[in-house]
Amino acid sequence: MAGIFNKLTGATDMTKTAADTSNLKKKILYEQERIQEVMLEIGKQYYNNPKADLSNLCNDIDDRKRRIANMKNELHSIKGLRVCSNCGTKFDDKYTFEFCGKCGAKLPNED
Ligand SMILES: [Zn+2]
């Protein structure tokens, strides 16, 4: 079994792409967390003053959503690479198993 996985993960020139991928995913996660925080802030401000001008905060969320969409496009343009979020092993798009061949963790979905 291990032999099959080694063959599938043998490519070495993927390192940079994989770093880009995990970097993008981290940035997307960060933006998503910030959106949650801004959402909370909007709720708080609205509670304190329903007439408060919340457009700046709403625009902030829109900006972040745009950024996330751009980064997701970028992710998709990095050709069919899947990285195990647990151990960092990279798999190319021919690897169709749902679980990491190295540590057995569930692999992330395409998006
Ligand atoms: Zn793994």
Side-chain angles (χ1 to χ4, degrees), residues 49-85:
N49 176 15
K51 291 193 172 106
D53 178 15
L54 303 170
S55 55
N56 277 350
L57 291 169
C58 292
N59 289 338
D60 190 37
I61 288 180
D62 287 343
D63 280 348
R64 292 181 192 282
K65 281 190 173 171
R66 259 192 298 274
R67 248 175 275 165
I68 288 174
N70 286 340
M71 287 190 284
K72 281 193 172 168
N73 281 340
E74 235 180 291
L75 264 184
H76 284 190
S77 72
I78 299 175
K79 195 177 168 293
L81 198 71
R82 299 163 80 197
V83 183
C84 174
S85 53

